[in-house]
Amino acid sequence: MRIGVIGAGRIGANAARLWRHAGHDVMLSFSRDPAALEARAAEIGARAGTPAEAAAFGEVVMLSVPWRLIDAVLADLGSLAGKIVVDTTNQFGAGGVEAIPGGRTAAQLNAERMPGARYTKAFNTLTSGFQAEAAGRTGPDRVAMFLCGDDAGAKDVVAGLIDDAGFTAIDVGGTADAAIMEAPRREGAVYGEEFHAEDGRAFLAAARG
């Protein structure tokens, strides 16, 4: 599968590495240092390109950029209509976790920013260092990766990519259900916590009552 990664930082670059290891064709983009981008891409066997090139290249597009830059980055990408999008962002602003207007989740807001995209959210609940260390564990130690989205087919594809990256996918539901996997870390949420398949599903079931 062709995957365009918008964001060559720790989350995006680590996912790119894991997907290349699983045999996917990956293009990495969005770095302040073009030479460093080329080197990082070459190191993992990926391509390097501009964000617009990565978005055009990918059947799946991972958005992994700072929250404050999302609107500007999306403007550069152009339409994502028909693309499966994996959003890894969290709503951290200069003053900490930002409130989302209208009582929406951050996932709902971002889905609205990408009209026509087959939006999902994943890879946002665990730190980059932990994702790099924990990927590929087996048996009961395999770590859960939560996802949400309103397009069942897109979630099926992303669940497969989560598995390819070395995690167990757990579907939280639609974008309206995403609060449990969004910042900040707090009691009753999965954000920032390590779960495995059995305890992750049990936690979600208990949270839904």
Side-chain angles (χ1 to χ4, degrees):
M1 180 168 281
R2 297 188 313 276
I3 306 171
V5 178
I6 317 297
R10 288 170 292 185
I11 293 286
N14 185 61
R17 177 181 60 82
L18 295 170
W19 285 330
R20 275 300 297 138
H21 183 71
H24 296 288
D25 196 357
V26 179
M27 181 179 287
L28 194 59
S29 72
F30 194 74
S31 172
R32 297 178 207 165
D33 185 340
L37 176 67
E38 291 279 357
R40 182 168 291 180
E43 179 186 357
I44 64 175
R47 310 172 191 225
T50 67
E53 288 169 341
F57 167 83
E59 300 165 89
V60 173
V61 177
M62 172 176 270
L63 181 69
S64 191
V65 302
W67 181 260
R68 69 185 186 281
L69 300 180
I70 291 175
D71 284 330
V73 170
L74 291 177
D76 286 342
L77 298 186
S79 174
L80 292 170
K83 300 279 187 177
I84 296 175
V85 172
V86 183
D87 174 20
T88 79
T89 67
N90 289 302
Q91 66 275 29
F92 290 113
V97 177
E98 294 189 357
I100 305 299
R104 295 169 294 172
T105 65
Q108 285 176 304
L109 174 61
N110 278 354
E112 291 168 7
R113 289 164 146 170
M114 307 174 210
R118 303 176 67 192
Y119 175 93
T120 70
K121 183 168 188 170
F123 291 89
N124 72 297
T125 64
L126 298 168
T127 66
S128 59
F130 182 78
Q131 289 186 40
E133 180 274 322
R137 292 182 187 173
T138 59
D141 292 329
R142 192 171 175 91
V143 172
M145 184 72 72
F146 295 91
L147 79 154
C148 72
D150 300 322
D151 183 315
K155 286 196 289 186
D156 285 343
V157 171
V158 175
L161 291 176
I162 288 171
D163 184 68
D164 287 346
F167 302 96
T168 294
I170 296 184
D171 187 353
V172 166
T175 55
D177 304 307
I180 197 170
M181 58 182 286
E182 294 182 344
R185 189 175 187 177
R186 63 202 184 277
E187 186 175 350
V190 302
Y191 179 84
E193 304 293 342
E194 176 183 348
F195 287 93
H196 307 93
E198 186 175 342
D199 59 339
R201 293 189 179 104
F203 185 89
L204 279 183
R208 289 167 177 160

